[in-house]
Coordinates of all heavy atoms in Angstrom, one line a residue:
M1 N 96.3 132.2 60.5 CA 97.1 131.1 60.9 C 97.3 130.2 59.7 O 96.4 129.6 59.1 CB 96.4 130.4 62.0 CG 97.0 129.1 62.4 SD 98.5 129.2 63.4 CE 97.8 129.6 65.0
S2 N 98.6 130.0 59.3 CA 98.8 129.2 58.1 C 99.2 127.7 58.4 O 99.6 127.0 57.5 CB 99.9 129.9 57.2 OG 101.0 130.0 58.1
Q3 N 99.2 127.3 59.6 CA 99.5 126.0 60.0 C 98.6 125.0 59.3 O 97.5 125.2 59.1 CB 99.3 125.8 61.5 CG 100.5 125.9 62.3 CD 101.5 124.8 62.1 OE1 101.2 123.7 61.7 NE2 102.8 125.2 62.2
D4 N 99.2 123.8 58.9 CA 98.4 122.7 58.3 C 97.4 122.2 59.4 O 97.7 122.2 60.6 CB 99.4 121.6 58.0 CG 100.2 121.8 56.7 OD1 99.7 122.7 56.0 OD2 101.1 121.1 56.5
Y5 N 96.4 121.7 58.9 CA 95.4 121.0 59.7 C 95.8 119.5 59.8 O 96.2 119.0 58.9 CB 94.0 121.2 59.1 CG 93.4 122.5 59.3 CD1 93.6 123.5 58.4 CD2 92.6 122.8 60.4 CE1 93.1 124.8 58.5 CE2 92.1 124.1 60.6 CZ 92.3 125.1 59.6 OH 91.8 126.3 59.8
I6 N 95.5 118.9 60.9 CA 95.4 117.4 61.0 C 93.9 117.1 61.2 O 93.2 117.8 61.8 CB 96.3 116.9 62.2 CG1 95.8 117.4 63.5 CG2 97.8 117.2 61.9 CD1 96.5 116.6 64.7
V7 N 93.6 115.9 60.6 CA 92.3 115.4 60.7 C 92.3 114.1 61.4 O 93.1 113.2 61.0 CB 91.7 115.3 59.3 CG1 90.2 114.7 59.3 CG2 91.7 116.6 58.5
I8 N 91.5 113.9 62.4 CA 91.5 112.7 63.1 C 90.0 112.2 63.0 O 89.0 112.8 63.4 CB 91.8 113.0 64.7 CG1 93.1 113.6 64.8 CG2 91.7 111.6 65.5 CD1 93.2 114.8 65.6
Q9 N 90.0 110.9 62.5 CA 88.6 110.2 62.5 C 88.7 109.0 63.4 O 89.5 108.1 63.2 CB 88.3 109.8 61.1 CG 86.9 109.1 61.1 CD 86.3 109.0 59.7 OE1 87.0 108.7 58.7 NE2 85.0 109.2 59.6
A10 N 87.8 109.0 64.4 CA 87.8 107.9 65.4 C 87.2 106.7 64.7 O 86.2 106.7 63.9 CB 86.9 108.3 66.6
E11 N 87.8 105.5 65.1 CA 87.3 104.2 64.5 C 86.8 103.4 65.6 O 86.5 102.2 65.4 CB 88.5 103.5 63.8 CG 88.9 104.4 62.6 CD 90.0 103.6 61.8 OE1 90.9 102.9 62.4 OE2 90.0 103.8 60.5
E12 N 86.6 103.9 66.8 CA 85.9 103.3 67.9 C 85.3 104.4 68.8 O 85.8 105.6 68.7 CB 86.8 102.3 68.6 CG 88.0 103.0 69.3 CD 88.9 102.0 70.1 OE1 88.7 100.8 69.9 OE2 89.8 102.5 70.8
D13 N 84.5 104.0 69.7 CA 84.0 105.0 70.7 C 85.1 105.3 71.7 O 85.9 104.4 72.0 CB 82.7 104.4 71.4 CG 81.5 104.3 70.5 OD1 81.5 104.9 69.4 OD2 80.6 103.7 70.9
G14 N 85.1 106.5 72.1 CA 86.0 106.9 73.3 C 87.4 107.2 72.9 O 88.3 107.0 73.8
V15 N 87.7 107.6 71.6 CA 89.0 108.0 71.2 C 89.3 109.3 71.9 O 88.4 110.3 71.8 CB 89.2 108.0 69.7 CG1 90.4 108.7 69.3 CG2 89.0 106.6 69.1
H16 N 90.4 109.5 72.5 CA 90.8 110.8 73.1 C 91.8 111.5 72.2 O 92.9 110.9 71.8 CB 91.3 110.6 74.4 CG 90.2 110.5 75.5 ND1 89.7 109.3 75.8 CD2 89.5 111.4 76.1 CE1 88.6 109.4 76.7 NE2 88.5 110.7 76.9
V17 N 91.6 112.8 72.0 CA 92.6 113.6 71.3 C 93.0 114.6 72.4 O 92.2 115.4 72.9 CB 91.9 114.4 70.1 CG1 92.8 115.4 69.5 CG2 91.2 113.4 69.1
I18 N 94.3 114.6 72.7 CA 94.9 115.3 73.8 C 95.8 116.4 73.3 O 96.8 116.0 72.7 CB 95.5 114.3 74.8 CG1 94.5 113.3 75.4 CG2 96.1 115.1 76.0 CD1 95.1 112.0 75.9
G19 N 95.6 117.6 73.7 CA 96.5 118.6 73.3 C 97.5 118.9 74.3 O 97.2 118.9 75.5
L20 N 98.7 119.1 73.9 CA 99.8 119.3 74.8 C 100.4 120.7 74.6 O 100.5 121.2 73.5 CB 100.9 118.2 74.7 CG 100.4 116.8 75.1 CD1 100.5 115.9 73.9 CD2 101.3 116.2 76.2
T21 N 100.8 121.3 75.7 CA 101.2 122.7 75.7 C 102.6 122.9 75.0 O 103.4 122.0 75.0 CB 101.3 123.3 77.1 OG1 102.2 122.5 77.9 CG2 99.9 123.3 77.7
R22 N 102.6 124.1 74.5 CA 104.0 124.5 73.9 C 104.7 125.3 75.0 O 104.1 125.9 75.9 CB 103.7 125.5 72.7 CG 105.0 125.8 71.9 CD 104.7 126.7 70.7 NE 103.8 126.1 69.7 CZ 104.2 125.1 68.9 NH1 105.3 124.7 68.8 NH2 103.3 124.6 68.1
G23 N 106.0 125.2 75.0 CA 106.8 125.9 76.0 C 107.7 125.0 76.9 O 107.8 123.8 76.5
T24 N 108.2 125.5 77.9 CA 109.0 124.7 78.8 C 108.4 123.5 79.4 O 108.9 122.5 79.4 CB 109.5 125.7 80.0 OG1 109.8 126.9 79.5 CG2 110.7 125.1 80.7
D25 N 107.1 123.7 79.8 CA 106.4 122.6 80.3 C 105.5 121.9 79.3 O 104.9 122.7 78.5 CB 105.4 123.0 81.4 CG 106.2 123.5 82.7 OD1 107.4 123.1 82.8 OD2 105.6 124.3 83.4
T26 N 105.5 120.7 79.1 CA 104.7 119.9 78.2 C 103.6 119.3 79.0 O 103.8 118.2 79.6 CB 105.5 119.0 77.4 OG1 106.6 119.6 76.8 CG2 104.6 118.3 76.3
K27 N 102.4 119.9 79.0 CA 101.3 119.4 79.8 C 100.1 119.2 79.0 O 99.9 119.9 78.0 CB 100.9 120.3 80.9 CG 102.0 120.5 82.0 CD 101.5 121.4 83.1 CE 102.4 121.7 84.1 NZ 102.3 122.9 84.8
F28 N 99.2 118.3 79.5 CA 97.8 118.2 78.8 C 97.1 119.5 79.1 O 97.1 120.0 80.1 CB 97.0 117.0 79.5 CG 97.5 115.7 79.1 CD1 98.7 115.4 78.6 CD2 96.7 114.6 79.4 CE1 99.2 114.1 78.3 CE2 97.1 113.3 79.2 CZ 98.3 113.0 78.6
H29 N 96.5 120.0 78.0 CA 95.6 121.2 78.3 C 94.2 121.0 77.7 O 93.3 121.8 78.1 CB 96.2 122.5 77.7 CG 96.3 122.5 76.2 ND1 95.2 122.7 75.4 CD2 97.3 122.4 75.3 CE1 95.5 122.7 74.2 NE2 96.8 122.5 74.1
H30 N 94.0 120.0 76.9 CA 92.7 119.8 76.4 C 92.5 118.3 76.1 O 93.4 117.7 75.4 CB 92.5 120.6 75.1 CG 91.2 120.6 74.6 ND1 90.2 121.6 74.9 CD2 90.5 119.7 73.9 CE1 89.1 121.3 74.2 NE2 89.2 120.2 73.6
S31 N 91.4 117.8 76.3 CA 91.1 116.4 75.9 C 89.7 116.4 75.3 O 88.7 116.9 76.0 CB 91.2 115.5 77.2 OG 90.8 114.2 76.8
E32 N 89.7 115.9 74.1 CA 88.4 115.8 73.5 C 88.1 114.3 73.1 O 88.9 113.5 72.8 CB 88.6 116.5 72.1 CG 87.4 117.0 71.3 CD 86.6 118.0 72.0 OE1 87.2 119.0 72.6 OE2 85.3 117.9 72.1
K33 N 86.9 114.0 73.5 CA 86.5 112.5 73.3 C 85.6 112.4 72.0 O 84.7 113.2 71.8 CB 85.6 112.2 74.5 CG 85.4 110.6 74.5 CD 84.7 110.2 75.8 CE 83.6 109.2 75.5 NZ 82.3 109.7 75.3
L34 N 86.1 111.5 71.1 CA 85.4 111.2 69.9 C 84.8 109.8 69.9 O 85.4 108.9 70.4 CB 86.3 111.4 68.7 CG 87.2 112.6 68.5 CD1 88.0 112.4 67.2 CD2 86.2 113.8 68.3
D35 N 83.6 109.7 69.4 CA 82.9 108.4 69.2 C 83.2 108.0 67.7 O 83.6 108.8 66.9 CB 81.5 108.4 69.6 CG 81.3 108.5 71.1 OD1 82.3 107.9 71.8 OD2 80.3 109.0 71.6
A36 N 83.0 106.6 67.5 CA 83.2 106.1 66.2 C 82.6 106.9 65.1 O 81.5 107.3 65.1 CB 82.7 104.7 66.1
G37 N 83.4 107.2 64.1 CA 83.0 108.0 62.9 C 83.2 109.5 63.1 O 83.2 110.2 62.1
E38 N 83.3 109.9 64.3 CA 83.4 111.4 64.6 C 84.8 111.9 64.1 O 85.8 111.2 64.1 CB 83.2 111.8 66.0 CG 81.7 111.6 66.4 CD 81.5 112.1 67.8 OE1 82.4 112.0 68.7 OE2 80.3 112.5 68.1
V39 N 84.8 113.1 63.6 CA 86.0 113.7 63.1 C 86.4 115.0 63.9 O 85.5 115.8 64.2 CB 85.8 114.1 61.6 CG1 86.9 114.9 61.0 CG2 85.6 112.8 60.7
M40 N 87.7 115.2 64.1 CA 88.2 116.4 64.7 C 89.2 117.0 63.7 O 90.1 116.1 63.2 CB 88.8 116.2 66.0 CG 89.2 117.5 66.7 SD 89.5 117.2 68.5 CE 90.5 118.7 68.8
I41 N 89.1 118.2 63.5 CA 90.1 118.9 62.6 C 90.8 119.9 63.4 O 90.1 120.7 64.1 CB 89.4 119.6 61.4 CG1 88.5 118.6 60.6 CG2 90.2 120.3 60.4 CD1 87.4 119.2 59.7
A42 N 92.1 119.9 63.4 CA 92.8 120.7 64.4 C 94.1 121.2 63.8 O 94.6 120.5 62.9 CB 93.1 119.8 65.7
Q43 N 94.6 122.2 64.5 CA 96.0 122.7 64.1 C 96.9 122.8 65.2 O 96.4 122.7 66.4 CB 95.8 124.2 63.6 CG 95.1 124.4 62.3 CD 94.8 125.9 62.1 OE1 94.2 126.5 62.8 NE2 95.4 126.4 61.0
F44 N 98.2 122.8 64.9 CA 99.2 123.2 66.0 C 99.2 124.7 66.1 O 99.1 125.3 65.1 CB 100.6 122.6 65.6 CG 100.6 121.1 65.6 CD1 100.4 120.4 64.4 CD2 100.7 120.4 66.7 CE1 100.3 119.0 64.5 CE2 100.7 119.0 66.9 CZ 100.5 118.3 65.7
T45 N 99.2 125.2 67.3 CA 99.0 126.6 67.5 C 100.1 127.1 68.5 O 101.0 126.3 68.9 CB 97.6 126.9 68.2 OG1 97.7 126.3 69.5 CG2 96.5 126.3 67.4
E46 N 100.0 128.4 68.8 CA 100.8 129.0 69.8 C 100.8 128.3 71.1 O 101.7 128.2 71.9 CB 100.4 130.4 69.8 CG 100.8 131.3 70.9 CD 100.0 132.6 71.0 OE1 99.1 132.9 70.2 OE2 100.3 133.3 71.9
H47 N 99.6 127.6 71.4 CA 99.4 127.0 72.7 C 99.6 125.4 72.6 O 99.8 124.8 73.6 CB 98.0 127.2 73.1 CG 97.6 128.7 73.2 ND1 98.2 129.5 74.1 CD2 96.8 129.4 72.5 CE1 97.7 130.8 74.0 NE2 96.9 130.7 72.9
T48 N 99.5 124.9 71.4 CA 99.5 123.5 71.2 C 100.8 123.1 70.4 O 100.8 123.4 69.2 CB 98.3 123.0 70.6 OG1 97.1 123.4 71.3 CG2 98.3 121.4 70.4
S49 N 101.7 122.3 71.0 CA 102.9 121.8 70.3 C 102.8 120.4 69.9 O 103.5 119.9 69.0 CB 104.1 122.1 71.1 OG 104.1 121.2 72.2
A50 N 101.9 119.6 70.6 CA 101.9 118.2 70.2 C 100.4 117.7 70.5 O 99.7 118.3 71.3 CB 102.8 117.5 71.1
V51 N 100.1 116.6 69.9 CA 98.8 116.0 70.1 C 99.0 114.6 70.2 O 99.8 113.9 69.5 CB 97.9 116.3 68.8 CG1 96.6 115.6 69.0 CG2 97.7 117.8 68.6
K52 N 98.4 114.1 71.3 CA 98.4 112.6 71.6 C 97.0 112.0 71.3 O 96.0 112.6 71.7 CB 98.7 112.4 73.1 CG 98.7 111.0 73.5 CD 99.2 110.8 74.9 CE 98.9 109.5 75.5 NZ 99.6 109.2 76.7
I53 N 97.0 110.9 70.6 CA 95.7 110.3 70.3 C 95.7 108.9 71.0 O 96.6 108.2 70.9 CB 95.7 110.0 68.8 CG1 96.1 111.1 67.9 CG2 94.3 109.4 68.3 CD1 95.1 112.2 67.6
R54 N 94.6 108.7 71.7 CA 94.5 107.5 72.5 C 93.3 106.7 71.9 O 92.1 107.3 71.9 CB 94.3 107.8 73.9 CG 94.3 106.8 74.9 CD 94.4 107.2 76.3 NE 95.5 106.4 76.9 CZ 96.2 106.8 77.9 NH1 96.0 107.9 78.5 NH2 97.0 105.9 78.5
G55 N 93.5 105.5 71.4 CA 92.4 104.8 70.9 C 92.6 104.5 69.4 O 93.6 105.0 68.8
K56 N 91.6 103.8 68.8 CA 91.8 103.5 67.4 C 91.2 104.6 66.5 O 90.0 105.0 66.5 CB 91.0 102.2 67.1 CG 91.2 101.6 65.7 CD 90.7 100.2 65.7 CE 90.6 99.6 64.2 NZ 91.8 99.7 63.5
A57 N 92.1 105.1 65.7 CA 91.7 106.3 64.8 C 92.6 106.3 63.6 O 93.7 105.8 63.6 CB 91.9 107.6 65.6
Q58 N 92.1 107.1 62.6 CA 92.9 107.3 61.4 C 93.2 108.9 61.5 O 92.3 109.7 61.7 CB 92.0 107.0 60.1 CG 92.9 107.0 58.9 CD 92.3 106.2 57.8 OE1 91.3 106.7 57.2 NE2 92.7 105.1 57.6
I59 N 94.5 109.1 61.3 CA 95.0 110.4 61.4 C 95.6 110.9 60.1 O 96.5 110.2 59.6 CB 96.1 110.5 62.5 CG1 95.5 110.0 63.9 CG2 96.6 111.9 62.7 CD1 96.4 109.1 64.6
H60 N 95.1 111.9 59.5 CA 95.6 112.4 58.2 C 96.4 113.7 58.5 O 95.9 114.6 59.1 CB 94.4 112.8 57.4 CG 93.5 111.6 57.0 ND1 93.5 111.0 55.7 CD2 92.7 110.9 57.7 CE1 92.7 110.0 55.7 NE2 92.1 109.9 56.9
T61 N 97.6 113.7 58.0 CA 98.5 114.8 58.2 C 99.2 115.1 56.8 O 99.1 114.2 55.9 CB 99.7 114.6 59.3 OG1 100.6 113.7 58.7 CG2 99.1 113.9 60.5
A62 N 100.0 116.2 56.8 CA 100.8 116.5 55.6 C 101.8 115.4 55.4 O 102.3 115.3 54.2 CB 101.4 117.8 55.8
H63 N 102.1 114.6 56.4 CA 103.1 113.5 56.2 C 102.5 112.2 55.8 O 103.2 111.2 55.7 CB 103.9 113.4 57.5 CG 104.5 114.6 58.0 ND1 105.6 115.2 57.4 CD2 104.0 115.6 59.0 CE1 105.9 116.4 58.1 NE2 104.9 116.6 58.9
G64 N 101.2 112.2 55.7 CA 100.5 110.9 55.3 C 99.4 110.5 56.3 O 99.1 111.3 57.1
V65 N 99.0 109.3 56.1 CA 97.9 108.8 56.9 C 98.5 107.8 57.9 O 99.3 106.9 57.5 CB 96.8 108.1 56.1 CG1 95.7 107.6 56.9 CG2 96.3 109.1 55.0
I66 N 98.1 107.9 59.2 CA 98.6 107.0 60.2 C 97.4 106.5 60.9 O 96.5 107.2 61.2 CB 99.5 107.8 61.3 CG1 100.6 108.6 60.6 CG2 100.0 106.9 62.4 CD1 100.6 110.0 60.9
N67 N 97.5 105.1 61.3 CA 96.5 104.5 62.0 C 96.9 104.3 63.4 O 98.0 103.6 63.6 CB 96.1 103.2 61.4 CG 95.4 103.5 60.1 OD1 94.1 103.8 60.1 ND2 96.0 103.4 59.0
S68 N 96.2 104.8 64.5 CA 96.5 104.5 65.8 C 95.8 103.3 66.2 O 94.7 103.0 65.6 CB 96.3 105.7 66.7 OG 94.9 106.0 66.7
E69 N 96.2 102.6 67.1 CA 95.7 101.3 67.6 C 95.2 101.4 69.0 O 95.7 102.1 69.8 CB 96.6 100.1 67.4 CG 97.3 100.0 66.0 CD 96.3 99.6 64.9 OE1 95.2 99.1 65.3 OE2 96.7 99.8 63.7
T70 N 94.3 100.4 69.3 CA 93.9 100.3 70.8 C 94.9 99.4 71.5 O 95.4 98.5 70.9 CB 92.5 99.6 70.8 OG1 91.6 100.2 69.9 CG2 91.9 99.7 72.3
K71 N 95.1 99.8 72.6 CA 96.1 98.9 73.5 C 95.5 97.5 73.6 O 94.3 97.3 73.9 CB 96.2 99.5 74.9 CG 97.3 99.0 75.7 CD 97.5 99.9 76.8 CE 97.4 99.1 78.2 NZ 97.4 100.0 79.2
K72 N 96.4 96.5 73.4 CA 95.8 95.1 73.4 C 95.9 94.6 74.9 O 96.8 95.0 75.7 CB 96.7 94.2 72.5 CG 96.7 94.6 71.1 CD 95.6 93.9 70.4 CE 95.0 94.6 69.2 NZ 96.1 95.0 68.2
Ligands
LIG101 N1 92.9 126.2 72.7 C1 93.8 125.3 71.9 C2 94.8 126.0 71.0 O1 94.5 127.1 70.5 C3 92.9 124.4 70.9 C4 93.5 123.5 70.1 C5 94.2 123.7 69.0 C6 93.7 122.1 70.4 N2 94.7 122.6 68.5 C7 94.4 121.5 69.3 C8 93.2 121.2 71.4 C9 94.7 120.2 69.2 C10 93.6 119.9 71.3 C11 94.3 119.3 70.2 O2 95.9 125.6 70.9

């Protein structure tokens, strides 16, 4: 698998990394909970077309670094 990896580092407890399915239906298929400082390294795959991050985290991708924020 030659897909780029994305790296998500949680900056607070309870950050959710949610995988959404590829294909006609776009549904949640996996939810991973990260606590502050924890890192998840993931790829887009045959099954995963999108990733939603909920909570404060730093996301490293081939397009740069993005900071997600907590809902105020
Ligand atoms: N079983 C999933 C897949 O192969 C695992 C996965 C890959 C995943 N990338 C992800 C889960 C990103 C959540 C977020 O597609």
Side-chain angles (χ1 to χ4, degrees):
M1 171 77 77
S2 58
Q3 264 294 330
D4 283 343
Y5 285 87
I6 59 168
V7 178
I8 301 128
Q9 181 163 39
E11 294 183 327
E12 65 182 6
D13 289 347
V15 169
H16 279 91
V17 178
I18 300 157
L20 296 118
T21 56
R22 191 177 297 284
T24 318
D25 296 335
T26 306
K27 293 188 182 155
F28 288 13
H29 68 73
H30 187 100
S31 178
E32 197 68 39
K33 189 174 137 265
L34 304 181
D35 285 335
E38 287 185 333
V39 170
M40 182 163 166
I41 303 165
Q43 286 174 303
F44 291 95
T45 69
E46 172 189 358
H47 306 293
T48 305
S49 66
V51 176
K52 173 171 170 171
I53 317 278
R54 186 164 229 160
K56 187 168 166 58
Q58 191 159 76
I59 303 139
H60 297 254
T61 76
H63 307 284
V65 180
I66 305 125
N67 287 281
S68 61
E69 307 290 343
T70 311
K71 193 168 123 190
K72 297 270 152 53

